[in-house]
Amino acid sequence: MNPFLNTKDIKAATGGMVFNDSSKPFTGVSIDSRTIIDGELFIALKGETYDGHDFVSDALKNGSGAIIEKQRFERDKMFLDSKPLIVVEDTLKALHNLASYIRSRFHGNVFAVAGSNGKTTTKELLSSILSTRLDVLKTTGNYNNHIGMPLCICRMNDGNQAMVLEMGTNMPGDIDNLCGIAKPDTAVITNIGYEHIEGFGSLEKVRESELEILPHIKNVVVNSDDWFLMDGINKKYKGKITKFGIQSTSADVIVRDIDFREDYTGFFVESGESSIFVKSRLLGLFNVYNCLAAAATAITAGFDLKAIKTGIESFGGVRLRFELKRRGGITFLNDVYNANPSSMEASVMEMMRFIEPSKTAPKKYKRAIVVLGDMLELGDYSITAHKNLGKWLSSLPVDIFIGVGEMMAYALSAFSGEGSSFETSDAAGERLHGILKEGDIILIKGSRGMKMENVLAAVERLA
């Protein structure tokens, strides 16, 4: 139970007015009237298409109290029943203030995970390593924004000894605002790439936004193989830097002897004069970097290589992120959670690694098929990025290209091989089902809004 979720502390944190006061602490915080349970405090947030105040009555039926805005409280007196109400000027600001108040009373280490790609997997890996010794509170899924992250902090309980908080950014100022709430001690920055470029306008602005984290922290852990990231770090940061890498000769934590297999990846993690062999269940070079990022961060917190091995090897991956699935002699690489030009290139290159001939298997797969959905939030760069993708795929041993969405039609126009375009992922899945043959390998990837998980779902439904 969070010791600071009582009306006295909530009033101190938010400056709100309390009605129907109670000495009984709340067991948690919720913003969803459909799932709130007895003991939880409902916060009535307002979004672009909804207003949580419309559901306060429903929330109070099962929950134990609510934070609401003064304007609605004065208009809707029906909220005034026997359960505690905290009335504030702005409920989102109240959530932030409450999370900040709770953080200020937390005495464990707070780790922030930032960067363009790999944040969620790195967050999970770091949490897995830290959990070998500590009780860890972590952000759920990829809830890394101005609502999800403070909600996570509000879930703190008496036993938590560390927090691992993923921080995402859509526009300048986001990371700075999140850090103002979370006050992280250590940050790990995975890389800089073309994420949410529509909100930034350039790769330089993406880097500038991610590096908003630097004034808030004591230690930073960075990917020294990313020269663009390192250039920004060296110009802006004078504190302690721990570097991880595969290619860089200046890295503090490295991997060597990477062994890519179809069902695991083996490698040695090396720090100083010590090294240990790790057999990760995650696939792909990008996941080796995620393991490295988590390992280097854990080392800054005093964890040894044995704990790092245990933490990495016990983690089975994040759903929808480069999952390997086999169906009737056909291999699917299901990487459908999200996509931008950087992550799209990384996933395609991992598919290429799968189809590389070897001494024991001169040709592992008969055909390579890519089913790719639009990369969203690229702004003016979108058409160019998709055309560049199509040209690049033409230079690779890709047999069939199935595109989903308006932008992927541009990619297909630049692709020299066999291809077809569809408006929806369901239609693409139906097409894919109709052409599949034993021995095929298929990469499925696209931005979250394209619902690319429906491709494999359609194939399985029609099988």
Side-chain angles (χ1 to χ4, degrees):
M1 181 179 293
N2 189 323
F4 304 113
L5 278 179
N6 56 63
T7 53
K8 179 182 177 182
D9 285 305
I10 294 170
K11 180 179 179 180
T14 66
M17 297 181 293
V18 179
F19 296 85
N20 306 318
D21 202 353
S22 170
S23 61
K24 186 177 180 181
F26 299 100
T27 59
V29 168
S30 173
I31 60 171
D32 192 337
S33 63
R34 298 165 298 181
T35 59
I36 192 169
I37 60 176
D38 184 38
E40 290 184 335
L41 173 70
F42 180 71
I43 302 181
L45 299 181
K46 294 187 292 187
E48 293 182 3
T49 59
Y50 71 92
D51 186 343
H53 292 86
D54 296 334
F55 308 100
V56 172
S57 295
D58 292 334
L60 288 174
K61 289 177 183 176
N62 295 318
S64 296
I67 296 180
I68 62 176
E69 292 186 356
K70 182 179 179 181
Q71 185 178 12
R72 286 297 297 267
F73 173 72
E74 292 176 344
R75 195 187 83 183
D76 301 326
K77 296 296 184 181
M78 63 180 179
F79 292 164
L80 192 57
D81 65 4
S82 59
K83 294 182 179 179
L85 294 177
I86 298 92
V87 180
V88 299
E89 294 293 334
D90 184 317
T91 49
L92 179 59
K93 186 176 180 180
L95 170 61
H96 291 178
N97 288 340
L98 181 57
S100 183
Y101 180 88
I102 291 169
R103 165 62 184 100
S104 70
R105 282 150 181 77
F106 179 68
H107 301 297
N109 283 332
V110 176
F111 300 86
V113 182
S116 295
N117 299 303
K119 290 188 295 296
T120 301
T121 302
T122 298
K123 178 256 301 182
E124 293 292 338
L125 283 161
L126 177 57
S127 299
S128 183
I129 296 169
L130 298 180
S131 294
T132 62
R133 209 165 76 194
L134 302 173
D135 185 314
V136 179
L137 174 66
K138 63 182 180 180
T139 44
T140 304
N142 72 325
Y143 292 165
N144 58 23
N145 64 6
H146 64 295
I147 295 175
M149 192 208 73
L151 277 173
C152 170
I153 295 174
C154 290
R155 298 201 329 264
M156 188 193 81
N157 64 51
D158 287 328
N160 293 145
Q161 298 166 295
M163 291 189 195
V164 181
L165 306 175
E166 182 179 337
M167 295 186 179
T169 176
N170 292 310
M171 61 184 64
D174 284 349
I175 294 290
D176 187 50
N177 291 334
L178 293 176
C179 286
I181 298 168
K183 303 272 191 304
D185 301 294
T186 299
V188 52
I189 305 175
T190 58
N191 49 51
I192 301 295
Y194 287 92
E195 58 163 340
H196 307 296
I197 200 73
E198 186 174 30
F200 298 107
S202 69
L203 193 60
E204 286 75 14
K205 289 291 185 182
V206 172
R207 181 178 68 180
E208 198 173 298
S209 180
E210 293 289 358
L211 297 188
E212 289 172 2
I213 206 166
L214 296 180
H216 297 274
I217 57 176
K218 302 171 185 175
N219 308 299
V220 66
V221 181
V222 290
N223 180 352
S224 59
D225 288 349
D226 187 333
W227 70 265
F228 187 67
L229 169 60
M230 290 307 303
D231 181 60
I233 292 287
N234 291 331
K235 289 176 180 177
K236 287 178 173 284
Y237 192 66
K238 303 303 179 185
K240 182 181 177 182
I241 302 174
T242 300
K243 294 177 284 186
F244 64 89
I246 298 173
Q247 304 165 2
S248 172
T249 57
S250 65
D252 302 292
V253 184
I254 66 172
V255 298
R256 58 179 175 81
D257 301 334
I258 304 173
D259 182 15
F260 292 104
R261 301 295 181 98
E262 290 204 357
D263 51 355
Y264 73 88
T265 307
F267 49 85
F268 283 89
V269 175
E270 194 170 281
S271 176
E273 296 182 357
S274 301
S275 69
I276 197 165
F277 181 74
V278 176
K279 188 174 179 181
S280 171
R281 289 186 278 169
L282 306 183
L283 305 178
L285 181 63
F286 48 82
N287 275 321
V288 176
Y289 275 106
N290 293 335
C291 290
L292 253 180
T297 308
I299 285 171
T300 67
F303 281 70
D304 59 25
L305 292 181
K306 184 177 179 181
I308 287 166
K309 173 182 173 68
T310 300
I312 292 175
E313 291 185 343
S314 64
F315 178 62
V318 179
R319 183 176 173 270
L320 305 181
R321 314 263 179 141
F322 212 79
E323 300 172 307
L324 187 148
K325 296 178 179 288
R326 291 188 175 92
R327 303 285 187 271
I330 300 168
T331 300
F332 295 90
L333 303 175
N334 199 45
D335 191 19
V336 298
Y337 192 82
N338 218 334
N340 57 45
S342 303
S343 66
M344 186 71 81
E345 179 180 348
S347 293
V348 171
M349 289 309 296
E350 289 309 321
M351 182 188 192
M352 294 300 102
R353 196 186 306 280
F354 267 75
I355 67 176
E356 283 179 355
S358 67
K359 293 180 181 179
T360 56
K363 187 170 183 180
K364 299 179 183 178
Y365 300 97
K366 294 179 180 177
R367 296 187 303 175
I369 302 172
V370 294
V371 186
L372 308 179
D374 285 353
M375 300 178 288
L376 304 178
E377 300 182 35
L378 296 181
D380 294 339
Y381 180 60
S382 187
I383 292 176
T384 300
H386 285 84
K387 284 185 174 180
N388 287 344
L389 173 63
K391 291 177 185 176
W392 178 60
L393 290 174
S394 299
S395 69
L396 302 174
V398 173
D399 296 288
I400 301 173
F401 176 12
I402 298 175
V404 181
E406 180 183 357
M407 288 296 107
M408 272 303 159
Y410 287 102
L412 277 158
S413 71
F415 180 64
S416 60
E418 179 184 344
S420 53
S421 179
F422 297 89
E423 292 183 3
T424 69
S425 54
D426 292 279
E430 292 172 6
R431 169 61 177 166
L432 179 63
H433 173 264
I435 64 171
L436 285 176
K437 296 179 181 179
E438 185 176 345
D440 286 344
I441 183 169
I442 301 96
L443 170 67
I444 308 171
K445 189 170 180 64
S447 283
R448 195 74 196 95
M450 300 308 295
K451 300 180 180 179
M452 296 301 288
E453 64 272 18
N454 292 347
V455 173
L456 184 54
V459 170
E460 292 174 336
R461 183 178 67 251
L462 295 169

